[in-house]
Amino acid sequence: MSPTFRDATINTVEATATVSGSTGGGRDEKGNVYFFPNVSVSIGYWFDNEGVPSSDWDTHFKAQLWINGEQIGKKQDLSAGGPQTYTFFAHKFPAAGTYKVEVRGKNSKSVDVTIKNPPVQEKKAAQ
């Protein structure tokens, strides 16, 4: 039997640091998350398993990563146990700014990702 490929029903999308404890970003004074340029960011998403058991190796769910209206990547995943599966894309944003990040399948879910330049470290003059 050849595999079947379905567009995934995207439930939620989020942006997090790819490495736990990463120093590649922070939170601003309002608590909003931001990242630094050229640091890997995980664009995580949950998709609906649509009743497909994790033992079904023939059904793959497809999703695409879009940033500011441009397709950046695509992938296919098998379902996990339970009603939905979590997976992610990793992406490095090249410059400061706010990016509209979408994960598309049967539907689309989006999140705004803010990239800020890291603070400049002042060097102390030798005395």
Side-chain angles (χ1 to χ4, degrees), residues 7-21:
D7 288 331
T9 300
I10 310 302
N11 294 332
T12 60
V13 64
E14 64 185 2
T16 59
T18 297
V19 178
S20 179

Side-chain angles (χ1 to χ4, degrees), residues 28-63:
D28 64 17
E29 58 281 351
K30 295 179 181 176
N32 299 317
V33 176
Y34 63 86
F35 303 96
F36 296 143
N38 297 312
V39 171
S40 186
V41 176
S42 290
I43 310 302
Y45 62 98
W46 288 94
F47 67 86
D48 191 318
N49 289 344
E50 300 179 355
V52 175
S54 60
S55 61
D56 182 344
W57 290 74
D58 292 322
T59 303
H60 298 258
F61 292 93
K62 303 181 300 178

Side-chain angles (χ1 to χ4, degrees), residues 8-14 43-47 62-67 73 75 87-89 100-111:
T9 300
I10 310 302
N11 294 332
T12 60
V13 64
E14 64 185 2
I43 310 302
Y45 62 98
W46 288 94
F47 67 86
K62 303 181 300 178
Q64 301 171 4
L65 176 66
W66 290 71
I67 299 176
K75 65 185 303 191
T87 189
F88 67 93
F89 290 95
K100 181 178 182 178
V101 176
E102 295 176 272
V103 177
R104 296 181 184 177
K106 282 185 182 177
N107 60 331
S108 176
K109 295 286 182 175
S110 66
V111 64

